[in-house]
Amino acid sequence: MTNPRPEFRNGLTRRTALGGGLAGLASAALTGSLVTPARAQQPAPTGNYRIDLHAHFLPPDYRAALLEHGHLTIGGYPTPEWSPEQAITFMDYYGIQAQALSVSDPGVSFLPGREAVDMARYCNSYAAGLFTTYRKRFGAFAVLPMPDIAASIAETIHALDELRLDGVILLSAYDGVYLGDPRFEPLMIALNQRNAYVFVHPAAIPDNAKPALPLPDFLEEFTFDTTRAATMMMVTGMTQRYPGIRFQLAHAGGTVPFLSHRLSVASQSVLGRLWPGDLPRPSVLDTQAQISRFYYDTALSASPAAMASVLAVTGRDHIVFGSDWPFSALTLPQSGSHDPAPGLSDVFDADQRMEIEHHNPLRQLPRLADAVNS
């Protein structure tokens, strides 16, 4: 089979230029000291078995709106093209059975009022149409017209109850307001009532709200923003109050696993040690348990260092595969092995990779599981 990569490579993207190289340097620096691979590299399973829970799409009218409103780049890089045919070519080459598609940053929040509502409906209806045309190949997470809470609740009801999309994607923050803020409570109630799967994706930081460093957002700021959102959801008790929502954190949780001890410092204080065991623990004393309940995807994080950190805070059953395509095109392996995440084999054997890349994702998305198994 000829390498199809030129067909789906869309130029340098915000997530890709440095990610692979830095991950390799980090792995090399840590291997043999603090982080040691669990075993010598093992072969991955064969065939199209992967279920991709971190994959993006840009329907034609959505991409046109991005360009029309000046988003010629996303995070400083050319806004990629996308089509279902390109996605299937990519999936077939890299052994991906199906993708759960989502709209990446900036969602539809770059549009005003009714335009954002209409664009969210367009994207979600487009995704639902793929379920008919390519039944076994695509799932989708609904984009919402945030930060309009009332309109987002209405779109949640339509997307999950009527279109039967597989979940919802939320950005880490909207207009500087992070998930966990009380303003989002009504939406969380609606999501909790539906036992929704919610993919939390980082948002770009406004230039006036971050250090003036000559670095693209995807390199560091994206991971920090995921961490900020997760931390706010935990310390405000949002993840405790709505146990029916299953939250997936992008890119192996940003820095949440690495900072897990620091984030749970209150539980290690005198208050945490003396808290009666028969009383519910307040959110700040329950951080470690909440961290363990998140789901963590492997997008741009398939390395011993990242996976060891995740395994230190949760079980293997809470790790799911993600490719971050088409924003990850330049970081995909060039070896011709057709394995999009060979670093996973430095940590997991073939059976464990099958669990992470196939079984775990399908357990969370029953509609997609029924489609691919029918």
Side-chain angles (χ1 to χ4, degrees), residues 124-309:
N124 295 334
S125 298
Y126 184 98
L130 295 174
F131 296 175
T132 300
T133 310
Y134 307 96
R135 183 170 182 271
K136 293 178 177 287
R137 303 311 299 269
F138 294 112
F141 299 137
V143 62
L144 305 179
M146 295 286 279
D148 186 331
I149 299 300
S152 293
I153 292 172
E155 189 59 26
T156 293
I157 294 170
H158 177 74
L160 299 186
D161 297 0
E162 299 180 37
L163 297 180
R164 295 196 66 221
L165 299 195
D166 299 286
V168 165
I169 182 169
L170 292 176
L171 298 181
S172 50
Y174 296 91
D175 294 338
V177 180
Y178 281 86
L179 300 182
D181 189 276
R183 280 168 275 192
F184 299 129
E185 290 287 308
L187 175 60
M188 295 299 156
I189 292 171
L191 293 169
N192 190 66
Q193 289 171 340
R194 288 161 178 78
N195 295 315
Y197 192 84
V198 175
F199 175 26
V200 178
H201 192 281
I205 312 297
D207 288 340
N208 62 359
K210 65 181 178 182
L213 301 176
L215 301 171
D217 280 342
F218 81 87
L219 184 62
E220 294 178 341
E221 291 298 334
F222 269 18
T223 64
F224 300 154
D225 222 48
T226 297
T227 304
R228 295 181 187 110
T231 301
M232 287 300 297
M233 288 193 292
M234 290 187 291
V235 300
T236 61
M238 181 172 283
T239 48
Q240 280 187 324
R241 287 192 299 279
Y242 304 111
I245 303 176
R246 293 152 294 145
F247 290 102
Q248 172 187 328
L249 301 181
H251 313 119
T255 64
V256 169
F258 177 80
L259 293 176
S260 58
H261 179 80
R262 191 182 187 101
L263 296 176
S264 62
V265 67
S267 66
Q268 302 149 34
S269 67
V270 172
L271 179 62
R273 293 195 298 270
L274 297 181
W275 191 265
D278 58 345
L279 292 181
R281 296 172 71 83
S283 59
V284 294
L285 300 184
D286 191 49
T287 306
Q288 289 179 331
Q290 294 178 78
I291 289 173
S292 73
R293 290 193 288 268
F294 286 124
Y295 290 83
Y296 299 83
D297 73 50
T298 66
L300 296 178
S301 305
S303 71
M307 290 297 100
S309 295

